[in-house]
Amino acid sequence: GMHSCNVHAVQVEVFPDTGEYKILRYVAVDDCGQPINPMIVRGQIHGGVAMGIGNTCMEEFIYDENGQQLTTTLLDYHIPSSLDLPHIETIEHNVPSPHTPLGSKGKGEGTPGMAPAAIANALEDALRPLGVKITELPLTPERIWKLIQAAQPRVAQSQ
């Protein structure tokens, strides 16, 4: 095909008493065919992962009971800085496309979409002994803590 393919894998450490967690390892495997400018492709991957981590872990529009938005500034609507991001390991597995003259494939904004599933799956896997199921974003520490608390009666009943 002419579109790039991605696989992302995440390893997390979770602190159940607070819901805080840390991304220990983030690996992004990418296939964009024959890259025209490899450095720009790596930048797209890193930027996309940063956007995806923000979408997944911290960015949320919050409204009051009248529909008035409460997250109106960057003090209230947190976006990730370099301090919030893990080291992003990139692995280039480029298979040239037979359908384009240079063997290139499309490379654009697909990368942010990989982060929510990779991070949520890592958190759910880490919290499997506690019976936590993740179905909603963002994955703030408060939300993770509430999911842990809500799962506790189910775990106690099944033992």
Side-chain angles (χ1 to χ4, degrees):
M2 294 185 296
H3 64 284
S4 65
C5 298
N6 306 272
V7 174
H8 291 209
V10 175
Q11 181 181 26
V12 295
E13 179 178 20
V14 185
F15 304 96
D17 292 342
T18 62
E20 295 280 340
Y21 60 93
K22 185 177 184 179
I23 297 173
L24 300 176
R25 190 169 183 201
Y26 197 111
V27 180
V29 181
D30 188 77
D31 168 15
C32 72
Q34 178 60 46
I36 295 171
N37 186 327
M39 191 171 8
I40 287 183
V41 171
R42 279 183 221 112
Q44 290 243 207
I45 295 166
H46 285 210
V49 169
M51 286 175 57
I53 288 173
N55 297 156
T56 305
C57 303
M58 55 193 72
E59 297 173 23
E60 181 176 27
F61 290 120
I62 299 173
Y63 300 90
D64 68 15
E65 63 278 354
N66 299 315
Q68 182 69 35
Q69 186 177 351
L70 301 176
T71 48
T72 57
T73 72
L74 293 178
L75 291 173
D76 306 313
Y77 184 89
H78 186 68
I79 59 173
S81 73
S82 60
L83 298 176
D84 300 306
L85 300 173
H87 170 72
I88 301 162
E89 297 175 51
T90 56
I91 298 172
E92 297 164 22
H93 179 75
N94 296 321
V95 178
S97 171
H99 306 293
T100 61
L102 299 176
S104 297
K105 299 176 185 174
K107 185 72 205 151
E109 294 300 329
T111 305
M114 304 297 285
I119 295 168
N121 282 332
L123 283 168
E124 198 170 279
D125 185 57
L127 295 169
R128 180 173 290 132
L130 302 179
V132 170
K133 297 290 181 202
I134 296 173
T135 60
E136 191 177 357
L137 298 178
L139 300 174
T140 60
E142 179 183 10
R143 181 163 284 146
I144 296 299
W145 183 84
K146 286 179 178 178
L147 289 171
I148 292 167
Q149 300 311 305
Q152 292 315 295
R154 290 195 302 270
V155 172
Q157 289 171 359
S158 66
Q159 292 178 350

